[in-house]
Amino acid sequence: HWQRHDPQGKLVRVVRGRVYDVAVDLRRSSPHFGKYVGYELSEENQRQLWVPEGFGHGFLVLSDSADFVYKTTSYYAPAHERCLAWNDPSVGIEWPLEGAQPSLSAKDQLGKPLAEADAFD
């Protein structure tokens, strides 16, 4: 997810549970456009991830449930939110699914491939 207008930088961490957290570079002018980083965040490892403006952000909950804390550089603007397909082969995110299919929200089911994404210049 990302906001095309009023983009957000996000500092995220998990205070309960475990997640696999991903940031994808959506800046067309970047040499890293379409590349991603992924890390496990948990209450045990206390890692945080900075997701800059111009990046998409998504996660997979690895525990039965998880509590996420976000600090953002601007307010959530649902009218400007965009969604990348979680399984777009051109990005190639290696989700730790262990053979299972993820349970997707209604908006995540409408995610677009990178080639059609309303990315940044």
Side-chain angles (χ1 to χ4, degrees), residues 14-19 41-44 61 63-67:
V14 172
V15 295
R16 189 181 57 78
R18 296 173 41 234
V19 305
L41 306 180
S42 71
E43 62 186 304
E44 288 85 20
V61 177
S63 50
D64 290 335
S65 63
D67 291 336

Side-chain angles (χ1 to χ4, degrees), residues 6-23:
D6 295 323
Q8 292 179 307
K10 301 174 187 175
L11 180 63
V12 298
R13 67 185 177 105
V14 172
V15 295
R16 189 181 57 78
R18 296 173 41 234
V19 305
Y20 183 69
D21 202 60
V22 172

Side-chain angles (χ1 to χ4, degrees), residues 58-97:
F59 61 90
L60 172 68
V61 177
L62 301 173
S63 50
D64 290 335
S65 63
D67 291 336
F68 239 116
V69 176
Y70 283 69
K71 291 189 179 222
T72 62
T73 58
S74 66
Y75 291 103
Y76 176 56
H80 301 299
E81 186 174 34
R82 303 294 185 264
C83 182
L84 186 66
W86 70 274
N87 59 350
D88 182 347
S90 70
V91 179
I93 297 171
E94 295 183 24
W95 297 101
L97 291 169

